[in-house]
Amino acid sequence: MGPQTISNPFDGELVLYTYFRSSCSCRVRTACQLKGIPLTYRFVNLLKGEQQAQSYLDEVNPNGLVPTLVIKDASGDTMTTISQSVAILEFLEDIFPSKRSLLPPDPLQRARVRELVNIIACDMQPPTNLRILKRVNGLGVSNQEWFREFMERPLAAYEKILGETTGKFSVGDEVSLADVCLAPAIENALRWDVDMARFPRVMKVFKTIKELPEFKAADWRHQEDTPENLRGKD
């Protein structure tokens, strides 16, 4: 039996395996809030190692990470699974063309959006992933020192590009996938006391997007699996 194709308009269910502090999961939550796409959540506690449980590795994501998006058809059968956040974001753009687009129509602007997305997704986030931090802790390097080193250069690149692309948001005056990826990255930078005064354009965009209701609904403070003592905190 060959691979199933997804009907358009899509009439199935999207199940997202997520963790409240996961910046990659936040990207998907934010995009779905902006596009008005309902999600069914399955919570995976990364601190408890639930992403490494054999059942999760065998049945959901063999890479032992979140987010994972499970696409089900109208009868509830699993059609396919996507386990990388940027691939999920692109999938949502493709399968819901009538929803709010998070990629601009102009090819050059689309390329700039993807460039900014990849600065965060490829250059900034991987070395600051929880798996890496756990290894760093055993090398005598503080998390704060590590975060600063591996976030500042990508942020400097993002800042410079904003000098060419920014309007109200990262690329022009419409929210894009670049903003969706930027928001949780800056939340992490602030958490680890990265000197954000060095990146005024980045912070201007961040201060704008963080006030949007869709970004608030998707951030780490407002999830069902957010511990009670952390809910709503700055």
Side-chain angles (χ1 to χ4, degrees), residues 107-125:
L108 291 177
Q109 285 194 320
R110 291 168 81 91
R112 297 322 295 264
V113 167
R114 289 186 167 110
E115 179 182 23
L116 293 171
V117 165
N118 283 315
I119 285 175
I120 294 171
C122 300
D123 301 333
M124 186 188 300
Q125 192 275 333

Side-chain angles (χ1 to χ4, degrees), residues 10 66 104 122 179:
F10 176 65
V66 294
C122 300
D179 305 302

Side-chain angles (χ1 to χ4, degrees), residues 34-83:
L34 288 164
K35 296 172 81 68
I37 299 170
L39 292 171
T40 299
Y41 291 111
R42 299 286 184 268
F43 302 111
V44 181
N45 192 318
L46 302 188
L47 294 184
K48 292 182 179 180
E50 292 176 356
Q51 73 279 18
Q52 294 299 322
Q54 197 61 50
S55 58
Y56 186 76
L57 295 172
D58 290 343
E59 300 170 16
V60 183
N61 186 335
N63 204 22
L65 297 172
V66 294
T68 304
L69 186 71
V70 178
I71 299 99
K72 297 189 175 184
D73 61 23
S75 65
D77 294 330
T78 296
M79 301 178 69
T80 194
T81 299
I82 308 174
S83 61

Side-chain angles (χ1 to χ4, degrees), residues 90-101:
E90 294 275 2
F91 166 79
L92 296 175
E93 288 297 297
D94 289 339
I95 202 64
F96 295 106
S98 63
K99 302 283 188 180
R100 179 180 189 173
S101 177

Side-chain angles (χ1 to χ4, degrees), residues 149-232:
E149 178 177 350
F150 285 97
M151 293 196 83
E152 287 179 354
R153 178 168 290 185
L155 282 171
Y158 203 108
E159 175 79 10
K160 184 174 182 179
I161 293 169
L162 287 189
E164 304 172 15
T165 65
T166 189
K168 187 177 179 181
F169 301 105
S170 291
V171 178
D173 294 322
E174 299 293 333
V175 173
S176 72
L177 292 181
D179 305 302
V180 165
C181 293
L182 179 67
I186 302 307
E187 293 278 10
N188 276 338
L190 293 172
R191 181 185 180 193
W192 294 106
D193 295 323
V194 175
D195 181 12
M196 297 306 297
R198 295 177 52 197
F199 314 111
R201 296 188 189 102
V202 168
M203 286 307 293
K204 182 180 179 181
V205 171
F206 175 68
K207 288 175 182 178
T208 299
I209 59 179
K210 77 172 186 175
E211 295 303 322
L212 297 177
E214 296 90 348
F215 281 79
K216 287 185 176 182
D219 74 20
W220 63 268
R221 301 169 184 84
H222 300 99
Q223 303 313 302
E224 290 181 47
D225 62 328
T226 303
E228 193 64 40
N229 65 317
L230 294 179
R231 293 193 179 197

